[in-house]
Amino acid sequence: VNVDLARLVANKPDESDEALRKKLWLKIARHVVEQEDDIKKAINFLPECPLLKIEDILPFFPDFVTIDDFKEAICNALQEYNEHIELLKENMQDATRSAQAIRGDIQDMRNKYGIVSGNETCSLCSYPLLTRSFYLFPCQHVFHSDCLITEVATHLTKKQTHRLSDLQQRFQHELQAGEAAAEESSSVMSKAEQLKAELDDMVAADCVLCGKTMIQSIDKPFIDPAEYDDIVQSWL
């Protein structure tokens, strides 16, 4: 077997096909160890093919072999593993610090508040805000809950719209159940709070007038194409 020719062939597969390249190099290493009984030559393949590791070719070695032949390769492999472990530790520490910072930001957001004046109006319907439940966003836009849900629903997919409707129905059901069974109100309200939180995540994750939803709908026509002809006729 011409090992030099085999090495050239092993390097021919595309770099993206790492599995095939490694498989070919393993076959060459196995031949060199088992047929030519040249462990040092097999060890020299490691720097030539970064895909190969010392542990990949160790199974090909005889049961009794002098470690001096590959002691340096083992030491290099251990050094690489130690460096990789240190890198992972640094990444874990960075992730931990990021998680702590995010938790701090979330806590700050929970403690954040806004002031709503008595004459404030809904940014969608322009009716007095304090007449019913409402949402206040950091951008200072304020919406009645029902106005916001109606507006957000126009930007949702059919599946998301069904999900929103289901959450509303289940939330109202849990509230009614809590009023009807006062002795079980704690568990019922806990369920209602979960549904309310999920509903908030869906409709109030972003301001509908100046957030991501508005940016994504920038190419949406002001007039629905299906209603265009009727609206034009009404103007004549």
Side-chain angles (χ1 to χ4, degrees):
V1 176
N2 189 330
V3 175
D4 292 333
L5 179 59
R7 288 159 60 188
L8 292 174
V9 173
N11 282 325
K12 281 189 175 182
D14 191 84
E15 291 185 359
S16 60
D17 195 353
E18 294 183 352
L20 177 58
R21 293 183 65 199
K22 184 174 182 179
K23 183 178 180 180
L24 293 174
W25 275 103
L26 282 174
K27 286 182 176 294
I28 297 172
R30 183 168 190 170
H31 169 79
V32 169
V33 173
E34 295 181 351
Q35 302 300 324
E36 299 184 8
D37 194 22
D38 193 343
I39 293 177
K40 288 185 178 180
K41 189 174 182 179
I43 294 297
N44 291 334
F45 290 160
L46 297 180
E48 189 172 349
C49 179
L51 299 176
L52 281 184
K53 303 296 181 184
I54 183 65
E55 61 268 26
D56 295 326
I57 61 177
L58 278 177
F60 306 147
F61 291 177
D63 293 337
F64 300 97
V65 63
T66 304
I67 195 172
D68 289 342
D69 293 334
F70 52 93
K71 180 174 65 175
E72 184 179 352
I74 291 179
C75 291
N76 290 337
L78 291 175
Q79 181 64 29
E80 289 180 6
Y81 286 135
N82 285 333
E83 293 175 356
H84 184 62
I85 290 173
E86 290 299 323
L87 179 60
L88 290 177
K89 286 181 179 179
E90 292 179 6
N91 291 339
M92 290 175 64
Q93 291 173 354
D94 291 342
T96 300
R97 286 192 290 268
S98 298
Q100 291 174 345
I102 291 173
R103 281 195 291 268
D105 291 342
I106 292 175
Q107 189 60 41
D108 291 342
M109 184 60 69
R110 287 176 177 171
N111 296 331
K112 194 172 183 179
Y113 65 91
I115 299 176
V116 178
S117 62
N119 60 352
E120 192 80 47
T121 59
C122 173
S123 299
L124 288 172
C125 70
S126 299
Y127 278 91
L129 184 68
L130 301 182
T131 55
R132 52 190 190 272
S133 62
F134 61 89
Y135 286 95
L136 169 64
F137 288 85
C139 58
Q140 299 306 308
H141 281 126
V142 287
F143 311 95
H144 289 128
S145 299
D146 54 328
C147 293
L148 180 61
I149 291 174
T150 301
E151 178 64 22
V152 168
T154 63
H155 300 279
L156 300 179
T157 63
K158 188 174 182 180
K159 183 178 181 179
Q160 290 173 327
T161 303
H162 287 318
R163 177 60 178 164
L164 177 61
S165 177
D166 178 63
L167 284 174
Q168 287 181 278
Q169 293 176 4
R170 290 168 58 194
F171 177 61
Q172 291 299 327
H173 174 75
E174 292 296 336
L175 287 182
Q176 294 173 1
E179 295 174 357
E183 67 278 3
E184 301 176 1
S185 60
S186 60
S187 61
V188 171
M189 289 307 296
S190 176
K191 180 65 174 178
E193 289 171 359
Q194 293 177 6
L195 292 171
K196 182 65 165 61
E198 193 172 349
L199 187 61
D200 288 344
D201 287 340
M202 196 166 188
V203 302
D206 205 20
C207 177
V208 74
L209 292 185
C210 63
K212 182 176 64 176
T213 301
M214 179 56 67
I215 295 173
Q216 292 176 339
S217 64
I218 193 170
D219 58 346
K220 183 178 179 180
F222 290 110
I223 300 175
D224 190 322
E227 302 175 354
Y228 181 80
D229 292 337
D230 293 337
I231 293 177
V232 170
Q233 288 299 322
S234 68
W235 291 345
L236 300 179

